[in-house]
């Protein structure tokens, strides 16, 4: 499993980060990675996490470490 990261002032695991992005629980989670981009909302650092919210879906979510901004790669 991945290491913990600080997101909006609290330590989160990859699973917790995926749940924050998804807004619900998730089944499987990959590790947290640096997204190599700046947040379009505040200019902060962005983390990426790949996860499965259901058996049939694989999603990559991105979340700012400093503000509420997040998004997924869903169409």
């Amino acid at each position: 499993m991945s290491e913990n990261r600080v997101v909006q002032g609290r330590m989160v695991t990859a699973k917790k980060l995926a749940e924050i992005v998804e807004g619900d629980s998730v089944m499987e989670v990959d590790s947290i990675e640096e997204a190599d981009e700046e947040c379009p909302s505040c200019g902060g650092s962005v983390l990426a996490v790949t996860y499965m919210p259901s058996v049939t879906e694989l999603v990559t979510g991105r979340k700012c470490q400093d503000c509420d901004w997040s998004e997924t790669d869903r169409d």
Side-chain angles (χ1 to χ4, degrees), residues 3-74:
E3 62 190 62
N4 294 342
R5 300 291 178 96
V6 176
V7 175
Q8 291 184 276
R10 61 185 185 244
M11 294 296 287
V12 297
T13 62
K15 183 171 175 96
K16 181 62 180 170
L17 180 60
E19 289 172 347
I20 291 169
V21 171
E22 189 65 18
D24 202 356
S25 61
V26 297
M27 295 179 64
E28 293 287 327
V29 180
D30 200 359
S31 61
I32 299 173
E33 300 175 359
E34 298 292 329
D36 293 329
E37 64 183 88
E38 289 184 354
C39 173
S41 183
C42 75
S45 298
V46 175
L47 297 174
V49 62
T50 302
Y51 59 94
M52 291 180 67
S54 67
V55 175
T56 59
E57 190 174 23
L58 183 66
V59 175
T60 298
R62 293 189 306 281
K63 169 78 176 92
C64 178
Q65 288 185 272
D66 301 321
C67 74
D68 290 335
W69 179 87
S70 66
E71 72 175 18
T72 66
D73 64 353
R74 286 186 177 101

